[in-house]
Amino acid sequence: MRIAPGDAGPTSITGPDEVVIRVADDAAPEVRERGVTSEVLHRMGRQVDDMVAEFHELPSVGAYQVMARRYIEGRLAELAQLRGAAADGFESDLLEVFEDLTGRRHKDPLGTLATVTGRSREALDHLLEVGRQRNAR
């Protein structure tokens, strides 16, 4: 949909009054240096659109699921880039994302990770255990 200058667009569907985007306090120095990029803003725009659609109970493919999938894919890619994609650590990355989802009280973090990564719950249980063992060392 294209909105002409001065056109406020449809008034029956409203979004948030304010969205605050900032770099996390515990972000890696190189992430903090890049700051909020156009990629971050683009991703955030899609998430806000999904949440508004979900709030207004508009037909969708499951805005929360889409948002969770995008978050997991993005976070795993970010973690892989930080450690070097060829370096060992994928299991620890999975564990970090799993613990983040659990901390946010996601209904089914293991099932969501399984869907996003294309792995079975059993395979993910094994990978998470490997991650726990690596982190314990």
Side-chain angles (χ1 to χ4, degrees), residues 76-90 93:
L76 287 173
E78 180 182 300
L79 290 168
Q81 184 179 18
L82 290 175
R83 71 174 156 74
D88 287 340
F90 177 69
D93 294 352

Side-chain angles (χ1 to χ4, degrees), residues 77-124:
E78 180 182 300
L79 290 168
Q81 184 179 18
L82 290 175
R83 71 174 156 74
D88 287 340
F90 177 69
E91 297 86 355
S92 296
D93 294 352
L94 279 174
L95 180 60
E96 184 173 328
V97 172
F98 175 80
E99 289 174 346
D100 182 36
L101 292 173
T102 301
R104 294 172 188 249
R105 296 191 173 129
H106 189 285
K107 291 179 186 175
D108 184 16
L110 189 63
T112 302
L113 267 178
T115 300
V116 171
T117 62
R119 291 175 166 82
S120 69
R121 288 176 177 266
E122 295 77 22
L124 276 174

Side-chain angles (χ1 to χ4, degrees), residues 11-46:
T11 57
S12 62
I13 299 175
T14 58
D17 292 331
E18 180 178 72
V19 176
V20 177
I21 303 170
R22 65 177 179 79
V23 178
D25 294 335
D26 61 348
E30 55 273 11
V31 172
R32 293 193 68 70
E33 184 177 308
R34 281 193 312 268
V36 178
T37 64
S38 60
E39 178 185 350
V40 170
L41 293 173
H42 182 69
R43 196 170 45 214
M44 187 67 201
R46 290 190 316 246

Side-chain angles (χ1 to χ4, degrees), residues 64-74 112 115-117:
Y64 183 77
Q65 291 86 352
V66 170
M67 187 175 66
R69 172 184 290 269
R70 287 178 183 156
Y71 167 75
I72 291 168
E73 290 171 344
T112 302
T115 300
V116 171
T117 62

